[in-house]
Structure formats: C-alpha cells, structure tokens
C-alpha cells in the first residue's frame, strides 16, 4: 500500500446484490477520483446487510465477492484503495456497543432514511433492533478509520449527521479522541429507478446493474418509466421527473445533444422509443468496458478473494489502533502494565 499523508476516506456498500448505476453515480465515481489523492478504505458491509437479510446469510455471503468484482471493474484499484469485509473487523462491533450509550431511541426513530427504508421493507411494526441502530454501526465504521471524507449518495446524509453527533458526545465525555466526518455528495445526488421512483435501489428492484448483459440492458431501458401523459410522438413530454433524462444527465458526455433532446421532448415530436434507443446506446457504451473487465477479473476469483483478505488485514490493524485509544479514553485499558 502506498503511503499517503492526505486525509482518510471511508465508504462502502451492502453485499445484498451486485452494484448498479445508482452506486456509480452516488459513490463509485467519487471513489475512483479520491483514491488518487487520499488514503481510501472501502468496506463491504456484510454486518449491515444482515440487519435486514439475517434470514439469508448465504445471499450476503455470495454477494461479498460480487461487490468486490464490481469495484475492480469500475476502476477501484486495490493498490490505492484498501478493500475489506466489515464482519472481519470485530473492533467495529465493539465500538458500536460503546456508541449505543450515546444515542437515544427517539433520535434513532427520527432518522428519515431509516424511516423510509422501514416503510419500504414493511418493517414498521417489527423492526429488528439491529436494523434500527445501523446508523450507529455506520458511525463506528467511519470513526474507527478516522475518516475525514465519506463519498456517498444523498440518502446517507442523515448517517453522517448522526456520526458527528456521536463524535461530539464521545469527545465531550471521554476526551478528544474522534474526528468529525464530511459527506462528499455528487452533483447528481440520487439516481432514480427505472420505474421512476426516487431512488434506484436493490431493494426496490428497479436497477440497471454494472455487469448487466446487453439484451437485459435493452429490455430494461425500453420498459423504463417516462412521462405517462406523453402518448403520441407529437405530444409535449415532461423532462422533469423523467428517469430517461436523469440517466442522460448522468451518463451522456454530449451535453449539447442532451439539451437538444430535452427541448424537442418538451415541445413535442420526440417519441419515447427513439429517446430510449438513444439512451440504450449511451449506456451500452458506458457499461460494455465495465462488463468486460468484470468478466476478466471473475476468471480468477481466488485472486479477488486474496486481495480482499489482504485489505481486511490492513484495515484491522488500523481499527485495532483506534480501539486502543478509545478503550484508554473510556478507562477500559485493563492489564496494560
Ligand atoms: P439496499 O437496497 O440493499 O440498501 P442500495 O441499492 O440502497 O441497496 P447500498 O449498499 O445501501 O445500496 O448503498 C451504497 C452506496 O450507494 C451509498 O453511498 C448510497 O448512498 C449509494 N447509492 C445507492 N443507491 C443510490 C442511488 N440510486 N443514487 C445515488 N446513490 C446511491
Ligand atoms: Mg441502501
């Protein structure tokens, strides 16, 4: 691992399925940039995945290396970024327990992202405590690596807020050990789903995967939600809230062309089929090299596992060091002499 003096970056993904375009826009694109300037840790969050998948441990397990493959395919470079598995750093769980004292139940129940996820998953009346407290566990993820920056999608803002509240409480009570973190949110902070809902998400099943095969990509694009009132080609259509245009904004380099298409669509005279075929070509050009690289790395899964193993070892050493300081600040440094 190259030594870098610069600030530390921590972020991650739940291994609940392969990664999709939303992950790319929300976080992966920033990580690819940040690994060149910062010391970056990327976590495969299997513990967090279990909070709402505890009945499907095999699914979580199977997706760990799939997520690692996605990282490699988009250009997260294991020479620059430490990729690790959350559950293999038990210090994170330990720190979470200490943090739980610093957070009230009411505060957790107010978290807007957790609230809407509970609703989506139908968990309102039987919330696993582990799920409710996952923002506390995220605070442990971030602070144990002393991260300054956290590149994430907009849905993660409440988690960073919660993290910094915990940091302030901890430092006030036990001394100045932890540092506050800052979310790095991209210009397009939330990519909508193919069904037009506000967020592309594995849970909602409205995704386009980074490893999507061409024929599936075509089917998904051609059946995307658009403006339901845009019936005849000549009808004026809505650009606002139309995910086809959101994807063009995110992935088409030809800004002048996107501006022309928007104008034509709003005025009437641009049909959904023609528009979607154009988007398909844009996404095909973006995804083809990613899929090819993914297949190449997938030929040697042992090597993928090996680099995650090495990253996990490095990450654990950093976490252990922070925990020594935390334990000592909390008067838990037994048997040291
Ligand atoms: P799940 O449904 O299992 O929660 P997810 O699709 O929400 O899956 P996560 O693993 O929870 O994905 O999110 C990983 C990272 O990707 C987070 O930083 C999150 O903000 C970002 N992200 C996920 N979906 C989107 C999206 N549609 N737009 C922007 N960022 C996103
Ligand atoms: Mg999520």
């Amino acid at each position: 691992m190259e030594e870098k003096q610069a600030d530390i970056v921590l972020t991650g993904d739940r291994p609940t399925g392969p990664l999709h375009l939303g992950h790319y826009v929300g976080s992966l694109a920033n990580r690819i940039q940040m690994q060149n300037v910062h010391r970056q840790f990327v976590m495969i969050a299997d513990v967090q995945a279990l909070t709402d998948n505890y009945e499907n441990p095999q699914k979580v397990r199977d997706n760990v290396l799939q997520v690692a493959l996605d990282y490699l395919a988009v250009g997260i470079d294991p020479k620059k970024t430490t990729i690790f598995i959350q559950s293999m750093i038990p210090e994170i769980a330990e720190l979470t327990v200490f943090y739980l004292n610093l957070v009230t139940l009411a505060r957790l129940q107010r978290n807007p992202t957790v609230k809407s996820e509970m609703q989506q998953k139908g968990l309102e009346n039987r919330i696993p405590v582990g799920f409710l407290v996952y923002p506390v566990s995220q605070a442990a993820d971030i602070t144990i690596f002393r991260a300054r920056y956290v590149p994430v999608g907009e849905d993660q803002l409440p988690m960073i807020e919660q993290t910094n509240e915990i940091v302030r409480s901890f430092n006030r009570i036990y001394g100045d050990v932890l540092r506050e973190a800052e979310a790095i949110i991209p210009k397009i902070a939330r990519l909508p789903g193919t069904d037009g809902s506000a967020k592309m998400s594995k849970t909602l099943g409205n995704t386009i995967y980074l490893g999507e095969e061409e024929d599936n990509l075509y089917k998904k694009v051609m059946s995307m939600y658009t403006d339901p009132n845009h019936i005849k080609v000549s009808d004026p259509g809505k650009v606002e809230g139309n995910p086809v245009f959101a994807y063009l904004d995110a992935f088409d380099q030809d800004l002048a062309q996107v501006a022309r298409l928007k104008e034509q669509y709003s005025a009437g005279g641009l049909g959904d089929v023609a528009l979607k075929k154009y988007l398909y070509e844009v996404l095909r050009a973006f995804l083809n090299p990613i899929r090819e690289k993914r297949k190449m790395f997938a030929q040697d899964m042992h090597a993928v596992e090996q680099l995650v193993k090495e990253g996990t070892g490095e990450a654990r050493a950093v976490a252990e060091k922070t925990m020594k300081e935390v334990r000592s600040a909390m008067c838990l440094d037994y048997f040291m002499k």
Side-chain angles (χ1 to χ4, degrees):
M1 180 60 53
E2 297 167 25
E3 272 307 316
K4 287 182 213 134
Q5 290 305 313
D7 287 307
I8 295 168
V9 175
L10 177 287
T11 188
D13 308 275
R14 294 149 39 91
T16 51
L19 302 186
H20 52 66
L21 293 178
H23 295 112
Y24 190 88
V25 170
S27 181
L28 295 170
N30 273 337
R31 297 179 207 179
I32 297 162
Q33 300 301 320
M34 294 180 92
Q35 67 181 349
N36 296 319
V37 237
H38 299 292
R39 172 86 171 92
Q40 179 165 263
F41 294 87
V42 169
M43 177 180 78
I44 305 176
D46 59 342
V47 177
Q48 194 187 123
L50 284 169
T51 61
D52 58 335
N53 288 278
Y54 55 88
E55 287 175 307
N56 290 307
Q58 193 62 47
K59 171 179 134 182
V60 173
R61 174 65 187 257
D62 291 343
N63 278 303
V64 167
L65 289 186
Q66 291 305 310
V67 168
L69 270 182
D70 285 322
Y71 292 162
L72 299 173
V74 297
I76 290 182
D77 178 352
K79 290 200 186 73
K80 299 176 179 169
T81 295
T82 302
I83 301 172
F84 70 95
I85 300 175
Q86 187 182 26
S87 69
M88 295 304 286
I89 319 285
E91 289 77 13
I92 295 176
E94 182 187 1
L95 187 57
T96 302
V97 170
F98 298 152
Y99 285 175
L100 284 171
N101 296 325
L102 307 177
V103 184
T104 65
L105 181 59
R107 175 66 183 89
L108 289 170
Q109 286 168 330
R110 269 203 317 273
N111 185 311
T113 300
V114 173
K115 260 195 200 162
S116 76
E117 286 173 343
M118 271 166 17
Q119 203 178 16
Q120 256 172 37
K121 296 172 206 280
L123 290 176
E124 288 126 309
N125 297 318
R126 41 179 197 90
I127 320 157
V129 173
F131 186 79
L132 185 71
V133 306
Y134 90 70
V136 181
S137 161
Q138 260 180 256
D141 303 332
I142 294 167
T143 52
I144 210 162
F145 293 99
R146 304 185 176 289
R148 162 112 195 256
Y149 299 120
V150 188
V152 280
E154 188 183 45
D155 60 304
Q156 294 300 306
L157 273 175
M159 312 311 171
I160 309 298
E161 227 175 88
Q162 175 75 81
T163 298
N164 289 337
E165 283 173 32
I166 290 173
V167 167
R168 289 192 289 270
S169 299
F170 187 101
N171 286 352
R172 178 173 49 77
I173 301 167
Y174 305 113
D176 205 12
V177 176
L178 306 173
R179 74 174 308 170
E180 291 191 38
E182 189 186 321
I184 302 297
I185 308 277
K187 232 180 12 231
I188 298 175
R190 186 185 301 241
L191 196 73
T194 51
D195 58 355
S197 60
K199 188 185 163 220
M200 179 178 285
S201 147
K202 286 169 271 176
T203 306
L204 296 172
N206 56 12
T207 57
I208 291 176
Y209 292 115
L210 295 172
E212 203 78 75
E213 293 292 341
E214 275 187 16
D215 49 345
N216 270 339
L217 174 66
Y218 187 78
K219 276 185 224 148
K220 286 188 174 181
V221 170
M222 294 314 285
S223 58
M224 270 177 76
Y225 173 92
T226 58
D227 173 2
N229 297 317
H230 184 239
I231 296 160
K232 288 199 293 280
V233 173
S234 56
D235 290 341
K238 262 211 209 128
V239 168
E240 196 62 31
N242 189 329
V244 177
F245 284 106
Y247 295 6
L248 287 178
D249 283 335
F251 294 101
D252 194 355
Q253 310 280 341
D254 189 347
L255 303 182
Q257 171 70 347
V258 175
R260 273 195 299 275
L261 291 172
K262 284 181 179 170
E263 211 171 287
Q264 209 187 345
Y265 195 81
S266 320
L270 174 59
D272 280 341
V273 173
L275 177 66
K276 285 175 172 175
K277 282 195 172 149
Y278 178 79
L279 174 64
Y280 168 70
E281 291 304 333
V282 168
L283 291 181
R284 198 167 75 107
F286 174 73
L287 290 176
N288 272 0
I290 295 177
R291 186 177 54 247
E292 292 318 308
K293 265 181 89 182
R294 200 178 193 284
K295 284 192 176 147
M296 192 194 79
F297 284 113
Q299 282 172 1
D300 190 355
M301 289 311 281
H302 179 71
V304 176
E305 193 172 344
Q306 208 51 36
L307 66 90
V308 176
K309 186 176 168 193
E310 276 166 31
T312 301
E314 275 173 29
R316 181 137 195 221
V318 175
E320 278 172 350
K321 210 163 151 238
T322 305
M323 279 318 284
K324 271 212 182 101
E325 284 182 47
V326 165
R327 284 185 145 266
S328 146
M330 295 182 71
C331 307
L332 298 169
D333 49 348
Y334 303 105
F335 314 135
M336 298 301 277
K337 285 181 214 111

